[in-house]
Each structure stands twice: as structure tokens, then as C-alpha cells.
Amino acid sequence: MRKFMCRGSPALMAATGELGLLLEAANFAARKHRDQRRKDPPKTPYINHPIGVANILGKEAAISDLATLQAALLHDTVEDTDTRPEELEAAFGPEVRALVAEVSDDKSLPKEERKRLQVVNAPKKSHKARLISQADKLYNLRDLMQSTPEGWSEARVQEYFEWAGRVVRGMLGASPELEAGLEEVLKTRGVSLYTSPPEVDSDTHSDSPPV
């Protein structure tokens, strides 16, 4: 029997290896989110969200860094599933673990405190974490433009837009492409990344549409 060997340049072989590692992250996320659904009326599979965030980074911001894309796929696994940080590190390394930690909320805190901390901590994030966070917000805002989650009023949608603007305003400079997309979407609700709206007193609103 003839043996067929894969031939190619070192760069091509490296790229093929990175693709495999990226697919491993996608598969890991799919397994962890397999029983979860978004809160939109069609109840779309939750995995659509992290795949969409990674796609925004790759397609719209031209991000090719493996750790950033892996962390984008995995960004909700610790926050919203039974995944442990040590599990991520064992599978994908310390950088991916650290990036996921940077973009994860502490679910032991009340929702309003988590929202407040996202605004406060936004300027402290690393560049790669800012990219993931910006893409995450862009995906969620576009989702809200297409359909309103079950149980959400128009006022709640507006509050989310204004809060997301405050969060992203603390991360400006990470990606001109993502920020242009965010500005375009935010303006549909009268919000801008470059002006601060009045603070909104929201006591029971969720900090993210999907969960």
C-alpha cells in the first residue's frame, strides 16, 4: 500500500496546525454549550454566539492570532458552563485561560455589580481581551437589532445599548474596524462611543442578552 505524505512549506504546515487547534476550541465550546439556547424567539443554539464573535474578529477586524480566536470561541465557557479555568489551561494553554478570565464576569456578584465592573474594568483589559470584548458587544447589539429577547421591553433594549456604549468607550483604540461597526449600530439607538449618555438607573436588567 502506498503511503501518501502531506507536503508543503513550513508556513503552510504551521497554518494547518493552527487550524486544527482552532477547531479544537470550537469543538470544546460546542460540547460545553450543547444544551444552552439564546433567549431570542427562535431559541437559537448558544454556540452560534461564540462562533459569531470569533467570525467578527477574523472577518471584520482581520485578527489571525490563534490565542485571541480560541479565547473568543471559549469566552463564555467558564462564566456560563461547568468549565474550570484549569481545564482551559490544560487544553489550550495559559494565555487562553488568562484571556477568558479577563472577559468573564464573576457570577457570584449581583447583576448590577457585574455591569458596573465591566464599565470600570474596561480600560484595564489587555489589547487581546479588548478585541474579544468589542466583538462580543458588537454581536450582541446586532442580535438585539434583529430580535428582542423574550421578556425584554423596549426600555430594556435601550438600556443595554447605552450600557454597552459605556463599556466599549473604555476600550477605544483596540480596533478601528470593530469600533466603526459598534458606532454604526449604537447610533441606531441614539448612542455614540464618543459622547457619554446620562447614567441609567437599572435595577433588574441582565448584563447580556443571551443567557
Side-chain angles (χ1 to χ4, degrees), residues 102 116-125 130 170-171:
E102 274 197 85
R116 186 190 72 82
L117 287 175
Q118 281 206 37
V119 176
V120 170
N121 292 332
K124 306 172 187 176
K125 292 185 185 297
R130 290 185 183 200
M171 299 185 286

Side-chain angles (χ1 to χ4, degrees), residues 8 20 23 50 88 98 118 121 127 134 157 161 186 198:
L23 290 173
L88 284 184
Q118 281 206 37
N121 292 332
H127 177 68
Q134 286 189 353
V157 173
F161 269 68
L186 288 168

Side-chain angles (χ1 to χ4, degrees), residues 168-184:
V168 176
R169 202 170 292 121
M171 299 185 286
L172 292 178
S175 167
E177 297 84 3
L178 296 180
E179 289 157 21
L182 284 158
E183 178 72 359
E184 180 182 2

Side-chain angles (χ1 to χ4, degrees), residues 106-201:
D106 181 352
K107 281 294 190 73
S108 69
L109 299 174
K111 290 178 182 178
E112 289 307 303
E113 178 63 8
R114 299 200 307 265
K115 291 175 68 176
R116 186 190 72 82
L117 287 175
Q118 281 206 37
V119 176
V120 170
N121 292 332
K124 306 172 187 176
K125 292 185 185 297
S126 67
H127 177 68
K128 292 180 181 181
R130 290 185 183 200
L131 290 171
I132 297 167
S133 295
Q134 286 189 353
D136 181 35
K137 290 293 185 288
L138 182 53
Y139 184 99
N140 283 338
L141 290 167
R142 286 173 174 169
D143 230 21
L144 283 172
M145 289 181 66
Q146 294 177 2
S147 63
T148 303
E150 294 180 352
W152 281 48
S153 65
E154 277 297 304
R156 186 170 179 177
V157 173
Q158 180 66 27
E159 189 274 337
Y160 184 88
F161 269 68
E162 293 177 0
W163 169 76
R166 289 194 290 273
V167 175
V168 176
R169 202 170 292 121
M171 299 185 286
L172 292 178
S175 167
E177 297 84 3
L178 296 180
E179 289 157 21
L182 284 158
E183 178 72 359
E184 180 182 2
V185 174
L186 288 168
K187 278 189 171 181
T188 65
R189 288 269 177 173
V191 180
S192 173
L193 291 177
Y194 309 105
T195 57
S196 299
E199 291 292 325
V200 177
D201 182 12

Side-chain angles (χ1 to χ4, degrees), residues 52-64 69 135 178:
V53 171
N55 184 60
I56 287 172
L57 286 170
K59 186 175 181 180
E60 300 184 37
I63 302 301
S64 59
L69 296 175
L178 296 180

